[in-house]
């Protein structure tokens, strides 16, 4: 009995985009269908290994492409795992993946649907780029029943019982008039060479009376000799396994020998993926055991902070029939991770000598990479060594901690940093004035993550890391101007403490400021102002703790003047208003918002008017 089923709304939307698209790269449908066939063969192989008692017989794994010029059809067949009725309904008629909404969103913004099709797990539908009707005949490996699925891509699909000798799947495409080229064997051979060369299984072109021809080498790329692999083959492999369209920024092809044997072909992409910071981020590594694909969801194969690394690892020592759950806990996995991570570090160190190129990597992945400083205790110093920062002496070009230490010389043993929202604002922070005058470099840290790792990495290669607030430097600043009178200064501080008791915990004198009248800081051991701001932005905190300290510069003419005026009753209002402006200025310099913009503007205008 034929059963007619409607497409879900999102499938309809997707098909609408695919069918009406005018992409010149229509051939990608073949890459997608061959990739599905290869997945189906992987699944059967794995299923047989983990269920040896079922003893399913099958002919040699292969993918067959059968063009028919007269009919205008193309069949892509595999003898893989196949699908039962539920699979057909759940995997072909519906888009289960959470990525669909994202796909549809992306197609609005980005014209390159081709890039997106594979990435979001909707590859099957690309068949409708070239076909106006698609028929699937499939039989699942452990079942006696075969089914057909038929659709014109518009009004749903029909499922019916069917006949098929062996397990596996045939996808028959009834080609559109402008896609009849895809029955041409020379053309087909070309596309397969270009896009599916590295597929592990033989891809066989069925030439009818002329027999069959295997088109690819059907050999896992990573098992081949490096010298025999071209750049292009590596790139195709990368693009196929990652579904990325960029070029790999870094490549690592290795074979570990000794007590543990495994090989790896790993890549760092050029562009960051859209989900780099999504909580359900998955590892990008596919695990094989002796060339059998096991899983691409093995946790622990790569540390979280290297989650952007893509590629494969093929182990020779893991038992083939190990369950995916067991894998997670295997100590072999931990050892493979350790070895692989140090290889990645080594290669990153090599690449770091080309500063300009390394900055590309850093800008794409640095924020994730820095997580390693607190996540990976044993490697924290190496992660820090490979990290890059901006600083007061290097605000246009990224610098390393080693370069910082070298520039600093012997005079100071500590590494100073300040945290804030952006390099430009930080660079103008009044707290840096004394450091500048003494030619002491300060790192300008602007990522939220910096607030965390700086709490963990207490010292780097023997140099303590210190927030500038904690720097115990005796700033013997040369002052050519006078200092505010002590009596007036004390009175000013007493008054300010009263006026601002809702805003700051206390007002103090500092010797560290040079050109600004005032600055803001926090009590030692308290959360930094930037950290508080981050938490407020994430609704973790509604107000700030009143632990802020307003620092006054007793050498600034404005403070000197206020200290002189404070005892004159007639001027008290002016002094109060000026003090308020000074506090708000200090906040602005910190990257904070003015607490009462209207009042602030009013008073400011008043003062400007008096001055001109
Ligand atoms: P993806 O391959 O990313 O999962 P596709 O749209 O290409 O997305 O395929 C959807 C699903 O359809 C697959 O996950 C698989 O379950 C099923 N499928 C497609 N082609 C085959 C096939 N040749 N054999 C078995 N299952 C298949
Ligand atoms: Mg697919």
């Amino acid at each position: 009995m034929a059963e007619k089923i409607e497409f879900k709304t999102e499938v309809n939307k997707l098909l609408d985009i695919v069918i009406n698209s005018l992409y010149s790269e229509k051939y990608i449908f073949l890459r997608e269908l061959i990739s599905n066939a290869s997945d189906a063969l992987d699944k059967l192989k794995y299923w047989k290994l983990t269920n040896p008692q079922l003893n399913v017989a099958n002919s040699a794994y292969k993918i067959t492409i059968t063009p028919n010029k007269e009919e205008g059809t193309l069949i892509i067949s595999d003898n893989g795992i196949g699908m039962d009725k539920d699979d057909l309904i759940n995997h072909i008629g519906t888009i289960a993946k959470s990525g669909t909404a994202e796909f549809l969103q992306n197609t609005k913004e980005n014209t390159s649907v081709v890039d997106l099709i594979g990435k979001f797990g909707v590859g099957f539908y690309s068949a409708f780029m070239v076909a106006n009707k698609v028929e699937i005949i499939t039989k699942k490996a452990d079942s006696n029943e075969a089914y057909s699925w038929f659709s014109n891509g518009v009004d749903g699909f029909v499922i019916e019982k069917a006949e098929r000798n062996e397990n596996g799947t045939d996808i028959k495409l009834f080609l559109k008039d402008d896609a009849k080229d895809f029955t041409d064997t020379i053309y087909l051979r070309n596309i397969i060479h270009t896009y599916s060369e590295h597929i592990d299984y033989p891809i066989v072109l069925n030439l009818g009376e002329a027999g069959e021809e295997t088109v690819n080498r059907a050999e896992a790329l990573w098992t081949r000799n490096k010298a025999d692999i071209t750049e292009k083959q590596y790139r195709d492999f990368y693009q196929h396994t990652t579904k990325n369209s960029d070029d790999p920024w870094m490549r690592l092809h290795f074979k570990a020998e000794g007590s543990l044997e495994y090989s790896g072909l790993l890549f760092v992409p050029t562009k960051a993926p859209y989900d780099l910071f999504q909580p359900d981020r998955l590892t990008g590594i596919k695990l094989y055991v002796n060339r059998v694909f096991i899983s691409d969801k093995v946790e622990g194969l790569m540390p979280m902070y290297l989650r952007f690394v893509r590629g494969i690892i093929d182990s020779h020592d893991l038992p083939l029939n190990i369950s995916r759950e067991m894998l997670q806990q295997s100590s072999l996995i931990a050892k493979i991770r350790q070895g692989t991570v140090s290889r990645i570090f080594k290669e990153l160190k090599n690449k770091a000598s080309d500063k300009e190129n390394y900055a590309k990597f850093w800008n794409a992945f640095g924020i994730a990479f820095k997580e390693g400083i607190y996540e990976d205790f044993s490697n924290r110093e190496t992660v820090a060594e490979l990290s890059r920062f901006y600083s007061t002496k290097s605000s246009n070009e990224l610098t390393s901690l080693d370069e910082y230490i070298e520039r600093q010389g012997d005079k100071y043993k500590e590494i100073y940093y300040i945290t804030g929202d952006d390099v430009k604002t930080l660079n103008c922070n009044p707290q840096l004035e004394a450091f500048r005058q003494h030619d002491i470099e300060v790192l300008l840290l602007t990522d939220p993550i910096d607030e965390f790792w700086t709490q963990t990495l207490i010292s780097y290669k023997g140099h303590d890391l210190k927030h500038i607030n904690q720097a115990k430097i005796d700033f013997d600043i040369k002052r050519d101007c006078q200092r505010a009178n002590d009596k007036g200064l004390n009175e000013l501080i007493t008054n300010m403490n009263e006026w601002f008791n809702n805003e700051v915990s206390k007002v103090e004198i500092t010797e560290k400021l040079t050109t600004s009248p005032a600055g803001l800081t926090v009590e030692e051991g308290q959360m930094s102002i930037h950290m508080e701001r981050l938490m407020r932005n994430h609704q973790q905190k509604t107000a700030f703790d009143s632990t802020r300290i307003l620092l006054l510069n007793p050498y600034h003419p404005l403070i000197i003047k206020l200290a002189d005026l404070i005892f004159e009753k007639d001027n008290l209002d002016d002094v109060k208003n000026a003090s308020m402006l000074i506090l708000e200025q200090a906040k602005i310099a910190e990257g904070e918002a003015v607490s009462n913009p209207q009042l602030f503007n009013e008073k400011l205008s008043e003062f400007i008017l008096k001055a001109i």
Side-chain angles (χ1 to χ4, degrees):
M1 250 280 290
E3 193 174 334
K4 181 141 200 281
I5 301 175
E6 295 297 316
F7 285 125
K8 294 263 161 64
T9 331
E10 69 271 15
V11 177
N12 266 329
K13 275 192 206 145
L14 184 74
L15 279 168
D16 200 44
I17 294 171
V18 172
I19 293 172
N20 295 311
S21 62
L22 296 168
Y23 309 110
S24 48
E25 302 119 314
K26 287 200 196 301
Y27 50 77
I28 65 127
F29 84 91
L30 194 57
R31 180 188 75 191
E32 293 300 329
L33 297 182
I34 288 177
S35 141
N36 284 351
S38 156
D39 289 349
L41 292 166
D42 278 347
K43 283 181 199 160
L44 179 62
K45 225 177 178 183
Y46 180 76
W47 185 75
K48 284 183 69 171
L49 281 160
T50 43
N51 301 285
Q53 75 283 2
L54 292 178
N55 202 17
V56 176
N58 67 287
S59 52
Y61 297 119
K62 68 171 178 177
I63 300 165
T64 311
I65 314 281
T66 311
N68 185 325
K69 247 199 175 83
E70 288 75 55
E71 271 187 22
T73 60
L74 184 68
I75 305 174
I76 294 96
S77 306
D78 65 71
N79 52 350
I81 189 88
M83 285 177 274
D84 58 21
K85 193 174 160 188
D86 283 350
D87 291 337
L88 280 170
I89 293 172
N90 294 330
H91 300 317
I92 302 280
T94 333
I95 309 176
K97 310 269 162 36
S98 58
T100 321
E102 214 124 11
F103 174 88
L104 293 170
Q105 184 58 33
N106 267 283
T107 50
K108 276 186 213 140
E109 292 157 9
N110 189 329
T111 40
S112 182
V113 175
V114 168
D115 282 356
L116 299 167
I117 279 181
K119 210 178 230 159
F120 290 96
V122 292
F124 169 77
Y125 297 98
S126 64
F128 287 98
M129 287 167 77
V130 294
N132 43 28
K133 286 182 285 178
V134 176
E135 181 185 53
I136 304 175
I137 295 181
T138 181
K139 185 158 146 194
K140 194 141 179 175
D142 60 347
S143 164
N144 295 321
E145 286 172 348
Y147 287 92
S148 74
W149 178 103
F150 182 86
S151 174
N152 60 4
V154 183
D155 4 278
F157 53 90
V158 176
I159 293 188
E160 228 172 325
K161 279 226 170 109
E163 286 299 319
R164 196 181 196 279
N165 286 335
E166 207 190 357
N167 58 280
T169 304
D170 309 310
I171 312 260
K172 185 171 186 180
L173 309 176
F174 297 84
L175 297 166
K176 293 180 188 175
D177 284 342
D178 63 354
K180 295 276 199 266
D181 283 359
F182 292 106
T183 55
D184 184 85
T185 47
I186 297 169
Y187 189 42
L188 284 170
R189 196 181 289 124
N190 239 324
I191 301 171
I192 297 167
H193 265 310
T194 313
Y195 294 97
S196 305
E197 165 66 23
H198 48 266
I199 292 281
D200 237 355
Y201 304 98
I203 302 173
V204 172
L205 201 51
N206 184 349
L207 303 171
E209 278 161 25
E212 292 192 333
E213 171 196 327
T214 303
V215 182
N216 64 335
R217 293 178 59 153
E219 187 178 29
L221 187 75
W222 62 89
T223 61
R224 278 159 58 184
N225 239 332
K226 274 193 209 181
D228 300 337
I229 307 174
T230 65
E231 284 297 320
K232 189 179 170 305
Q233 284 169 328
Y234 274 128
R235 205 191 65 205
D236 289 343
F237 178 86
Y238 162 79
Q239 295 189 339
H240 170 81
T241 43
T242 62
K243 315 218 157 165
N244 284 355
S245 54
D246 59 350
D247 286 339
W249 178 80
M250 177 177 118
R251 178 180 79 227
L252 200 58
H253 184 183
F254 63 91
K255 198 166 182 160
E257 273 154 349
S259 61
L260 203 59
E261 276 188 37
Y262 57 94
S263 38
L265 180 48
L266 302 175
F267 301 91
V268 172
T270 302
K271 285 194 217 142
Y274 73 98
D275 59 354
L276 188 60
F277 294 104
Q278 281 180 9
D280 55 350
R281 61 209 174 175
L282 292 171
T283 143
I285 309 291
K286 294 186 172 175
L287 179 69
Y288 285 72
V289 173
N290 287 321
R291 312 212 349 238
V292 178
F293 174 69
I294 303 293
S295 170
D296 56 1
K297 296 184 178 63
V298 182
E299 272 172 47
L301 204 49
M302 199 50 72
M304 263 308 170
Y305 64 96
L306 293 176
R307 59 185 174 274
F308 49 83
V309 176
R310 298 282 181 269
I312 67 95
I313 288 185
D314 189 353
S315 154
H316 299 256
D317 304 296
L318 284 164
L320 259 174
N321 55 358
I322 190 170
S323 79
R324 282 166 207 192
E325 294 68 40
M326 292 283 290
L327 265 178
Q328 235 92 282
Q329 283 137 34
S330 164
S331 64
L332 290 182
I333 294 286
K335 285 199 187 117
I336 292 176
R337 178 183 65 230
Q338 261 169 29
T340 308
V341 166
S342 48
R343 277 171 204 272
I344 293 173
F345 285 156
K346 202 166 149 224
E347 189 59 25
L348 282 174
K349 273 184 203 175
N350 285 339
K351 301 273 286 183
S353 57
D354 180 349
K355 281 188 158 194
E356 205 177 306
N357 189 34
Y358 194 73
K360 285 187 199 153
F361 158 72
W362 190 256
N363 292 331
F365 302 110
I367 300 182
F369 187 75
K370 271 190 286 187
E371 291 170 11
I373 303 178
Y374 64 81
E375 253 181 38
D376 188 349
F377 188 82
S378 55
N379 285 315
R380 63 167 58 153
E381 207 156 83
T382 313
V383 178
E385 183 182 333
L386 288 164
S387 294
R388 295 293 178 268
F389 312 92
Y390 289 107
S391 82
T392 47
K393 287 193 182 171
S394 187
S395 60
N396 295 319
E397 194 188 67
L398 290 159
T399 181
S400 68
L401 292 179
D402 291 324
E403 287 166 333
Y404 174 103
I405 292 169
E406 199 183 307
R407 272 193 296 271
Q408 199 185 35
D410 299 329
K411 202 161 169 216
Y412 299 96
K413 265 300 253 183
E414 291 170 333
I415 297 171
Y416 302 106
Y417 69 88
I418 181 170
T419 55
D421 296 333
D422 62 274
V423 169
K424 228 163 141 193
T425 320
L426 270 185
N427 228 342
C428 304
N429 192 301
Q431 318 255 28
L432 291 174
E433 290 164 5
F435 288 83
R436 236 186 223 115
Q437 204 173 65
H438 281 66
D439 199 35
I440 305 172
E441 183 167 0
V442 177
L443 299 177
L444 308 171
L445 306 182
T446 54
D447 294 322
I449 187 92
D450 296 327
E451 293 285 352
F452 297 96
W453 69 259
T454 46
Q455 304 303 308
T456 329
L457 190 77
I458 312 291
S459 100
Y460 172 77
K461 296 188 179 170
H463 297 255
D464 288 354
L465 256 91
K466 285 262 159 76
H467 191 287
I468 55 162
N469 284 346
Q470 284 142 25
K472 296 264 180 306
I473 304 176
D474 183 15
F475 287 114
D476 180 18
I477 299 173
K478 277 175 233 62
R479 311 278 184 182
D480 30 12
C481 52
Q482 61 175 125
R483 200 175 196 277
N485 81 80
D486 279 342
K487 227 171 130 235
L489 200 55
N490 285 337
E491 182 66 13
L492 180 66
I493 289 174
T494 311
N495 277 287
M496 279 187 167
N497 269 318
E498 203 172 295
W499 294 330
F500 303 147
N501 79 36
N502 287 329
E503 304 249 15
V504 296
S505 67
K506 60 181 167 192
V507 182
E508 273 179 1
I509 291 169
T510 180
E511 304 291 326
K512 288 188 191 174
L513 294 176
T514 59
T515 53
S516 302
L520 274 185
T521 185
V522 290
E523 208 112 31
E524 210 178 316
Q526 296 276 351
M527 192 185 284
S528 75
I529 295 176
H530 177 237
M531 182 67 183
E532 259 190 36
R533 187 158 61 243
L534 288 174
M535 295 189 70
R536 243 183 297 138
N537 291 345
H538 287 88
Q539 263 85 47
Q540 300 274 343
K541 227 172 165 60
T542 43
F544 29 78
D545 295 329
S546 309
T547 51
R548 289 160 188 234
I549 302 172
L550 178 65
L551 298 170
L552 298 184
N553 175 3
Y555 304 95
H556 195 280
L558 191 50
I559 301 296
I560 295 173
K561 187 80 180 264
L562 293 182
D564 287 343
L565 291 177
I566 188 82
F567 290 112
E568 297 173 23
K569 282 277 163 295
D570 295 351
N571 289 321
L572 200 59
D573 265 355
D574 274 351
V575 175
K576 186 174 176 182
N577 286 332
S579 301
M580 190 270 274
L581 290 177
I582 289 172
L583 170 65
E584 299 294 350
Q585 277 185 331
K587 284 193 210 159
I588 293 172
E590 246 331 302
E592 291 280 278
V594 171
S595 18
N596 185 340
Q598 199 191 343
L599 189 68
F600 176 75
N601 285 340
E602 220 169 84
K603 298 297 172 201
L604 190 60
S605 307
E606 228 171 80
F607 274 94
I608 295 173
L609 195 61
K610 269 188 214 167
I612 55 178

